[in-house]
Amino acid sequence: MHPRMVSKFKAVIFDLDGVITDTAHYHYLAWKRLADSVGAPFDEAFNEQLKGVDRVGSLELILARAPRTYAPEEKRSLADAKNGHYQELIATMTPADLLPGALRALEDVRAAGLRIGLASVSRNAFTVLDRLGIRDRFDDVVDAATIVNGKPDPEIFLTAAAHLGVAPADCLGVEDAAAGVASIKDAGMVAVGVGSRDVLHRADHVIPSLAAFRLQDY
């Protein structure tokens, strides 16, 4: 039996979309339907601008391209419609939708005796975790509805650390978006970026996917 690995960290806090699973295509389809309904041009390139942006912020970006303005109650209705369509899409997810290396990364962090948190701005994070069959792998999942300031503000990662009872300096954060990496760094944590160094230049370490995640390397 191998001795348990010793880590300088006490907790690892993961983002969800683009790190553990990829719901980007579902978001794209739901936003595309909404954009089409209001006559706003929408394509894959514009969709990239929505990465890491919360629902309200994404809606505002889309409506800025629409031919008319919308009252607050109309915006709420549109946001609800988008979310309803998105929920229909994610209801088809299964554990097969876990990204390569995600389950092993969670298992390795747990085997090392560290706490595990989730810091996602998605208000559907609990549903997605249930569909993936991994909700019980997390000691804490921050409820995005309780967060006032979205990424790149450090609030969500600081909240996760507080819920886990771990000082920010003892946490490792894992993110795939530049705004998320900024959130981790400004929270005073070490950041692992999942993706490209060109985009995630503030990250302390960059890996192509969780398949390359090695706790002992950080």
Side-chain angles (χ1 to χ4, degrees):
M1 184 175 179
H2 296 291
R4 190 171 78 180
M5 185 185 67
V6 176
S7 172
K8 65 181 179 181
F9 299 105
K10 295 180 180 178
V12 180
I13 303 171
F14 293 89
D15 178 38
L16 179 61
D17 292 342
V19 175
I20 290 172
T21 191
D22 189 0
T23 61
H25 184 59
Y26 299 126
H27 279 296
Y28 172 78
L29 292 175
W31 282 127
K32 180 72 166 64
R33 176 189 279 191
L34 183 144
D36 289 347
S37 74
V38 299
F42 193 86
D43 56 20
E44 293 278 7
F46 182 76
N47 186 60
E48 283 297 307
Q49 297 180 38
L50 308 184
K51 189 173 183 179
V53 180
D54 64 18
R55 192 186 310 161
V56 174
S58 295
L59 178 63
E60 293 290 353
L61 289 172
I62 291 171
L63 293 183
R65 312 180 93 199
R68 72 172 180 89
T69 57
Y70 287 80
E73 60 271 18
E74 290 180 297
K75 292 179 180 180
R76 284 192 291 272
S77 179
L78 288 170
D80 289 344
K82 182 270 175 180
N83 190 49
H85 186 210
Y86 176 70
Q87 288 180 329
E88 291 173 6
L89 294 169
I90 62 174
T92 66
M93 296 181 76
T94 72
D97 290 300
L98 282 163
L99 286 173
L103 187 58
R104 186 191 57 76
L106 294 172
E107 291 174 342
D108 286 353
V109 173
R110 178 65 72 214
L114 277 61
R115 307 272 286 163
I116 304 176
L118 189 84
S120 169
V121 297
S122 172
R123 298 197 178 201
N124 295 291
F126 293 101
T127 300
V128 172
L129 291 179
D130 285 338
R131 295 300 306 169
L132 295 173
I134 58 170
R135 186 166 174 177
D136 62 345
R137 305 271 180 169
F138 294 86
D139 296 299
D140 181 73
V141 177
V142 177
D143 182 353
T146 66
I147 299 301
V148 176
N149 304 298
K151 302 169 186 177
D153 189 277
E155 180 184 355
I156 192 167
F157 279 95
L158 290 173
T159 300
H163 288 178
L164 293 170
V166 177
D170 293 326
C171 295
L172 180 71
V174 186
E175 264 279 1
D176 73 313
V181 169
S183 180
I184 294 170
K185 294 300 295 177
D186 290 346
M189 303 177 182
V190 173
V192 173
V194 179
S196 167
R197 168 63 70 181
D198 292 340
V199 176
L200 308 174
H201 53 85
R202 284 195 66 189
D204 299 287
H205 311 273
V206 177
I207 54 178
S209 74
L210 284 188
F213 182 87
R214 300 290 183 271
L215 189 59
Q216 64 268 27
D217 292 341
Y218 313 126

